Amino acid sequence: MVTCDHCALTSTLPATYKRFRKPKRALCPRCWYRDRVEKAKRAQVETWITAGIGAAIAYVVGSWFLANLVIATLLLLPSVIVHELGHAVAATFLKFDVFRIRLGIGPARFEARLFGYLWDVRRYLGGGLMQCAPVGMHDVGRRFLFVVAAGPAVNFLVGAVAFAVLATSYSENPFFGPAPLTMLGVLNWALAFGNLFPFTTARGHPSDGKTLLSGLSGSAQWLSTLEAGLHAARFLELRREERTDAALEATMEAANAHPDSAPLLCNLGVAYLDLRRYAEARATFERALALAKDTAEQAVVRNNLAYLFIESGSLDDLPEGEAHSATAYAAYPWHPAVGATHALYELKADRAADAVAIIEPALGDELQPTERKEILYILAMAKLRLGERAAALALAAEADAMRGDTRWQSAFARALATDGREFFYPAAAGACSLELCDAPLEAPEERLDVERVTRDALDQQFGRKLGAVRVQVFR
């Protein structure tokens, strides 16, 4: 057991927590990420303040060295962009699909297409990350290592060209004049050699050097993990685009290629779940649970099984689902999806206060819009159960304004119509199927118009039209 020294969450998986020596403490992944974002925020503010002071001093006293340090600060972002472009161009050449290039850390600021790639720009500077997946798995290990090496190689090449120009046709002295080429060369070489050093980034990803070191060791386990990770990357991207049929096809292909991989089978189960093919999802999750090699893998599968049971509305399976959810939450109390599932079971057991205590800390800037929307609706249902109708409607209004769809939108409408007493339609005993927005209540004449109830309640509370409520499934 290990306890986070910031949020006090206790986990049965000590290896998932980040430990520090000075000061001695342990942080859960959620608190660790938020700590890194806060440090990136402070570093960005300090960098620009220092650059501004340096520019002012350079102007007053005529110090070109300080002025050139300001120039280096301005060249940092373009150098990071060049680094990520090196990865992306190499990936395209080696037949990888490049999904997006992420710049920085923290909440999303905007997305833009540049040089043929989608750039996801975050609020604070903090390096970059290129997300891709191969078109085919032939010789994928060697191709991937070339993609990884391309980023530092481009930085090294830019630095070499800058120094070659300085050595042959142009001269600069950073102490006695502007020296942009010198700063460009030094900065790119620092990025090249710095990325080749083995370390873990602020997002928890290995550096280019650490990945190359692992890949060049020739480990069969590394290759198997890489292939599973690349399959998962494609699956997650297809889900992000709401291409559920394509996601199912991709995960079936991956599971057939690696029939003994519990993570890939778990992805296949999620793909079935997205399409509401509950019986197939259950069979796939149960097979994945049987193949799971350690407690961490088992906890992930148990959480998905628990979520399946409560979404499908199968009353007979809810006690088993509650046990699965409790085990998963004991292992991953910091994970938003695991917390959301456990909160639903707490709600079902009439422990709304406990559900709120689980969900509220999870509402951080690190959540994807669809994740945040789903959690907001679950929190709104818990607030309704506690009698806090105004707070619930405010949360629902925030969720409704966000892009994406969630199946818990219709569940909130049912909770709203029953003053928080019910939030899902139970299926027939032993069944494993449910249509959240179309299933009847006890009698046909009590059928609930979830779109009208939610829309009218929100319009009445906030005095404005929020538009039709969509209930398309997405998780």
Side-chain angles (χ1 to χ4, degrees):
M1 299 286 288
V2 62
T3 301
C4 176
D5 290 320
H6 186 267
C7 67
L9 285 178
T10 301
S11 171
T12 57
L13 294 176
T16 62
Y17 279 46
K18 306 294 181 181
R19 299 181 183 275
F20 301 87
R21 294 182 180 178
K22 296 181 181 180
K24 188 175 181 180
R25 57 178 180 155
L27 293 180
C28 69
R30 183 170 68 200
C31 291
W32 176 74
Y33 178 81
R34 292 176 181 177
D35 180 66
R36 300 296 294 181
V37 171
E38 187 60 32
K39 287 180 178 178
K41 177 181 178 180
R42 290 199 303 267
Q44 182 165 302
V45 172
E46 292 167 359
T47 298
W48 290 116
I49 290 176
T50 303
I53 294 173
I57 294 174
Y59 178 79
V60 172
V61 304
S63 171
W64 277 108
F65 180 73
L66 289 176
N68 284 317
L69 290 181
V70 175
I71 291 174
T73 303
L74 298 175
L75 290 173
L76 177 59
L77 182 58
S79 298
V80 172
I81 291 175
V82 166
H83 178 94
E84 297 304 326
L85 273 177
H87 288 309
V89 171
T92 302
F93 180 76
L94 293 170
K95 292 183 172 54
F96 281 74
D97 289 330
V98 178
F99 302 132
R100 61 178 38 79
I101 301 173
R102 183 178 297 176
L103 290 177
I105 190 173
R109 187 180 288 273
F110 65 88
E111 289 185 349
R113 190 162 291 277
L114 182 65
F115 305 119
Y117 300 106
L118 182 64
W119 297 77
D120 177 8
V121 180
R122 299 300 169 122
R123 185 171 296 173
Y124 310 116
L125 290 176
L129 176 69
M130 190 270 297
Q131 297 175 325
C132 66
V135 175
M137 286 293 173
H138 173 69
D139 202 19
V140 69
R142 182 159 50 179
R143 289 158 54 203
F144 184 74
L145 291 179
F146 275 117
V147 171
V148 172
V154 170
N155 284 131
F156 183 83
L157 180 62
V158 170
V161 169
F163 287 125
V165 171
L166 289 172
T168 57
S169 58
Y170 187 72
S171 63
E172 292 178 343
N173 189 324
F175 293 95
F176 300 104
L181 277 181
T182 302
M183 294 299 103
L184 183 67
V186 170
L187 191 59
N188 274 271
W189 275 13
L191 283 174
F193 291 113
N195 274 279
L196 289 175
F197 188 79
F199 65 94
T200 301
T201 69
R203 297 188 191 89
H205 301 293
S207 67
D208 294 336
K210 190 172 184 178
T211 302
L212 289 171
L213 194 63
S214 301
L216 293 174
S217 66
S219 168
Q221 183 178 359
W222 175 83
L223 182 59
S224 176
T225 303
L226 171 67
E227 291 180 355
L230 293 173
H231 281 303
R234 183 173 295 280
F235 169 62
L236 292 174
E237 184 62 25
L238 291 171
R239 289 191 77 216
R240 184 195 298 267
E241 297 173 356
E242 301 187 44
R243 296 168 57 191
T244 51
D245 290 326
L248 176 61
E249 183 179 349
T251 50
M252 289 182 69
E253 181 182 344
N256 288 333
H258 302 272
D260 296 329
S261 172
L264 291 180
L265 280 173
C266 196
N267 288 344
L268 178 58
V270 172
Y272 281 129
L273 185 57
D274 285 340
L275 292 169
R276 300 188 185 185
R277 294 166 61 172
Y278 297 123
E280 292 157 297
R282 178 173 185 166
T284 306
F285 285 142
E286 289 176 344
R287 183 182 170 197
L289 185 59
L291 291 171
K293 299 175 183 177
D294 53 42
T295 305
E297 287 186 356
Q298 291 172 3
V300 173
V301 182
R302 289 182 186 278
N303 175 72
N304 288 336
L305 270 171
Y307 183 84
L308 165 66
F309 294 152
I310 202 164
E311 184 195 307
S312 66
S314 181
L315 295 178
D316 292 344
D317 293 317
L318 288 183
E320 181 184 351
E322 185 173 6
H324 283 316
S325 178
T327 302
Y329 186 72
Y332 293 109
W334 45 267
H335 198 288
V338 175
T341 302
H342 196 57
L344 288 169
Y345 278 93
E346 294 295 285
L347 268 178
K348 192 63 184 170
D350 202 21
R351 295 189 290 266
D354 292 338
V356 170
I358 291 170
I359 299 174
E360 280 189 330
L363 285 173
D365 292 333
E366 69 274 7
L367 295 176
Q368 295 293 330
T370 49
E371 289 179 318
R372 184 175 181 85
K373 184 167 187 169
E374 181 173 277
I375 291 176
L376 282 171
Y377 275 119
I378 296 173
L379 180 58
M381 291 189 292
K383 293 287 187 179
L384 276 176
R385 184 70 64 86
L386 293 174
E388 301 176 21
R389 188 179 181 88
L393 289 170
L395 291 166
E398 180 185 347
D400 188 70
M402 301 177 69
R403 64 181 177 87
D405 298 301
T406 170
R407 62 202 73 187
W408 295 108
Q409 194 162 8
S410 58
F412 172 74
R414 178 172 172 81
L416 196 63
T418 59
D419 293 324
R421 294 190 305 273
E422 294 293 339
F423 60 89
F424 80 117
Y425 301 100
C432 200
S433 63
L434 172 68
E435 296 294 331
L436 283 175
C437 57
D438 296 326
L441 297 175
E442 295 297 327
E445 60 269 18
E446 295 176 340
R447 189 178 184 88
L448 181 66
D449 185 346
V450 296
E451 295 193 6
R452 180 185 57 77
V453 170
T454 303
R455 185 174 61 252
D456 292 351
L458 294 176
D459 290 344
Q460 181 180 3
Q461 176 72 16
F462 297 100
R464 59 189 176 87
K465 294 296 180 182
L466 295 174
V469 176
R470 294 181 295 171
V471 291
Q472 179 182 343
V473 173
F474 181 78
R475 177 171 175 79

